[in-house]
Amino acid sequence: MIKSEGKFDYLEVGEGEPVILLHGLMGSIENFGDMVDYISEDYKVYGLDLKLFETPLLKCSVKNLAKYLHEFMNYINIEKAVLLGNSMGGHIGLIFAKLYPKKVTGLILTGSSGLYENSMGDSFPRRG
């Protein structure tokens, strides 16, 4: 179910309007589980692996991950999509919508991100 093409690892299932799932800081695309099956009954679902622990620290920011999402959408030829972001994935969706508003048909934000509650910054917390 998970594809690896170029620099992207992602799942792709279903048919219809595209929905892109964005996982949280400690998550992965597998975290969406049964929700993928449910959503893919009516939509084309993509789950992008954000590769948080493979990305060099200097490039590991919410803004750069929004740009990574933009590269992915261009690579897959997705003109616009609904973004469904969990926790930190929601912050990526918000920044993406600000940077590329014409590429977003909707935002669905779930969970809460204690990492960014005080300030929605552009960088991640320290990573060991």
Side-chain angles (χ1 to χ4, degrees):
M1 191 194 252
I2 296 176
K3 297 181 178 185
S4 290
E5 293 181 12
K7 65 179 183 177
F8 303 107
D9 294 335
Y10 63 98
L11 69 83
E12 177 181 5
V13 62
E15 295 296 326
E17 292 182 52
V19 174
I20 301 175
L21 307 176
L22 302 168
H23 62 78
L25 179 63
M26 300 311 237
S28 68
I29 49 181
E30 288 87 9
N31 289 118
F32 291 101
D34 293 336
M35 187 172 67
V36 171
D37 296 331
Y38 182 76
I39 296 172
S40 66
E41 291 177 11
D42 298 309
Y43 298 92
K44 178 84 163 205
V45 178
Y46 296 91
L48 178 60
D49 182 352
L50 298 172
K51 299 186 179 186
L52 300 174
F53 296 101
E54 298 170 29
T55 304
L57 283 173
L58 293 176
K59 293 186 176 187
C60 199
S61 69
V62 174
K63 187 173 183 179
N64 280 338
L65 288 168
K67 290 177 182 179
Y68 181 72
L69 171 58
H70 187 253
E71 290 176 35
F72 173 72
M73 289 178 72
N74 288 337
Y75 180 79
I76 299 295
N77 293 319
I78 300 172
E79 188 174 322
K80 54 186 171 177
V82 172
L83 304 179
L84 191 157
N86 179 51
S87 192
M88 185 212 57
H91 291 287
I92 294 167
L94 287 168
I95 296 298
F96 184 90
K98 180 181 174 188
L99 294 173
Y100 311 102
K102 293 182 180 180
K103 302 218 37 113
V104 178
T105 54
L107 279 171
I108 301 170
L109 308 175
T110 66
S112 131
S113 178
L115 300 171
Y116 297 103
E117 285 174 353
N118 291 329
S119 67
M120 197 172 116
D122 187 34
S123 64
F124 283 109
R126 286 188 178 180
R127 179 175 78 182

